[in-house]
Amino acid sequence: MRTHDRLRIAIQKSGRIGDPARELLARAGFAFRQGQDKLFCRGESLPFDLLLVRDDDIPGLIEEGSADLGIVGLNLVEERRMETEPDRLRVRMPLGFGRCRLAIALPDLAEWRGPETLEGRRIATSYPVTLARWLQAEKVSAEVVQLSGSVEIAPRLGKADAICDLVSTGATLAANQLREAATVLESEAVLVGPEPPFTDGRADLAALLERRLQGALGLRATRLLLCQAPRDALPAILGLLGDAEPPTVTRIEGRDDAVSLQALCRSAMTWQRLEDIKRAGASGLLVLPVEQMLA
Ligand code: PRT
Ligand code: ZN
């Protein structure tokens, strides 16, 4: 039995979820020392360790207790959750990267009249449980052909009439003369843990991790905006800063008609937005990244 004074987080060794997950953990202030076997990394200053594995193994490792928490695509969590009764996994927090969708796609020339088009057809997928649930909800009876990879070539090989696979840009579908017809599941990386959640010392550690991750995710787009503006332009400018914390407005020495403004903006500060703020009367606009924040 492991003690409960450290938390073990399973993440993908490398790939679309693992690389950004390590980056996020680093931004949240976690540092790890890689072990000899390249499978286990010990937390340097905080009681959090990493287990580096194939993403497909993460839900199972959490269910069996070999890992406490995991960072993995919702697609894999859902596939596993639908398979096991009762639910043994809990999605604790969406992480905003690794976005994709599990989608039905058909050969370019095939007709699509909605889900009923799939009645009696063969659909190739690596997500048989999620697909079967969707078909059931759509009241369609079709044959699910389970493949572990290269799903997109199944129609050309005559193994299936349609596919159900992950799509992000759509380039893979296009390269295989397939077109997207329906979305089965929207996915992104999530922090996942066991169901029911911890009641021992790990509950506090998990809460600490979540607070740190929230902080790091929140800071990603956060910018500090500094500018000057005529006092009477203030209402128009504040109207453009709906995502900002209540801004600080200070007077400028020797000028009664103008103020200096400082605002912490939570969403992307695009050029378009900056131009709108300038047009509303602001001048000397400065946008600064925010490195750390302690509310
Ligand atoms: O070795 P391991 O098993 O850990 O790696 P893996 O090959 O399974 O993982 P990886 O890194 O490819 O994917 C891990 C996770 O990334 C998935 O479970 C999803 O949660 C997420 N993700 C996000 C994606 C995609 N986007 C994605 N586009 N996973 C796979 N794809 C594939 C898709 O299967 C298709 O082949 O990319 C192709 C389509 O991409 P587009 O951009 O051409 O549409
Ligand atoms: Zn995988």
Side-chain angles (χ1 to χ4, degrees):
M1 253 324 246
R2 284 189 292 124
T3 54
H4 294 157
D5 53 358
R6 299 188 72 82
L7 205 89
R8 188 178 290 176
I9 311 165
I11 67 168
Q12 187 189 27
K13 192 171 176 138
S14 65
R16 288 187 166 93
I17 302 288
D19 300 340
R22 291 188 83 155
E23 230 171 83
L24 173 65
L25 287 166
R27 274 195 289 123
F30 295 90
F32 303 94
R33 206 172 44 242
Q34 189 125 3
Q36 294 265 305
D37 56 3
K38 305 225 160 101
L39 181 76
F40 186 81
C41 301
R42 189 173 167 86
E44 289 198 321
S45 53
L46 293 162
F48 294 84
D49 305 314
L50 288 187
L51 200 58
L52 305 179
V53 293
R54 284 201 57 197
D55 66 344
D56 314 69
D57 296 335
I58 295 175
L61 287 168
I62 293 169
E63 284 185 3
E64 68 188 36
S66 305
D68 299 310
L69 296 175
I71 294 181
V72 66
L74 182 66
N75 48 306
L76 289 177
V77 179
E78 288 297 317
E79 179 73 8
R80 183 78 177 204
R81 270 167 105 182
M82 291 181 195
E83 205 173 14
T84 53
E85 283 286 344
D87 211 342
R88 288 153 65 191
L89 293 172
R90 163 184 288 230
V91 173
R92 300 183 61 115
M93 190 177 153
L95 299 173
F97 59 87
R99 281 187 211 276
C100 58
R101 52 207 180 273
L102 187 62
I104 301 285
L106 312 175
D108 274 340
L109 299 176
E111 174 193 29
W112 175 254
R113 290 167 280 102
E116 68 267 24
T117 316
L118 299 167
E119 184 68 34
R121 299 302 175 95
R122 294 164 306 158
I123 313 169
T125 190
S126 309
Y127 295 86
V129 183
T130 310
L131 173 60
R133 282 284 179 100
W134 182 81
L135 288 168
Q136 197 183 10
E138 296 291 340
K139 302 192 172 54
V140 172
S141 152
E143 185 189 337
V144 176
V145 180
Q146 184 172 353
L147 297 180
S148 56
S150 306
V151 170
E152 65 278 1
I153 61 172
R156 260 188 297 155
L157 298 179
K159 285 199 212 166
D161 306 299
I163 67 167
C164 171
D165 198 12
L166 297 176
V167 181
S168 49
T169 61
T172 304
L173 292 184
N176 287 281
Q177 291 97 49
L178 297 167
R179 73 190 160 94
E180 205 171 332
T183 300
V184 171
L185 177 79
E186 297 276 358
S187 182
E188 67 183 281
V190 295
L191 180 71
V192 65
E195 177 68 44
F198 311 119
T199 49
D200 50 41
R202 291 172 297 179
D204 288 342
L205 290 177
L208 168 74
L209 173 71
E210 282 172 2
R211 277 199 307 277
R212 288 281 191 99
L213 293 179
Q214 294 283 7
L217 289 171
L219 285 183
R220 201 172 349 210
T222 301
R223 295 287 181 272
L224 184 67
L225 171 73
L226 303 174
C227 63
Q228 296 193 349
R231 208 174 268 283
D232 56 10
L234 218 50
I237 293 171
L238 294 184
L240 292 167
L241 298 176
D243 63 318
E245 314 252 307
T248 308
V249 179
T250 41
R251 59 182 293 272
I252 301 171
E253 195 55 40
R255 285 187 64 188
D256 285 340
D257 58 334
V259 290
S260 163
L261 185 139
Q262 171 185 320
L264 198 59
C265 301
R266 296 291 185 172
S267 47
M269 190 52 74
T270 57
W271 282 109
Q272 182 60 55
R273 237 185 123 189
L274 272 185
E275 279 161 18
D276 290 344
I277 296 168
K278 186 171 169 60
R279 209 169 305 122
S283 60
L285 289 96
L286 269 181
V287 180
L288 307 176
V290 176
E291 212 160 84
Q292 283 176 317
M293 196 155 52
L294 203 56

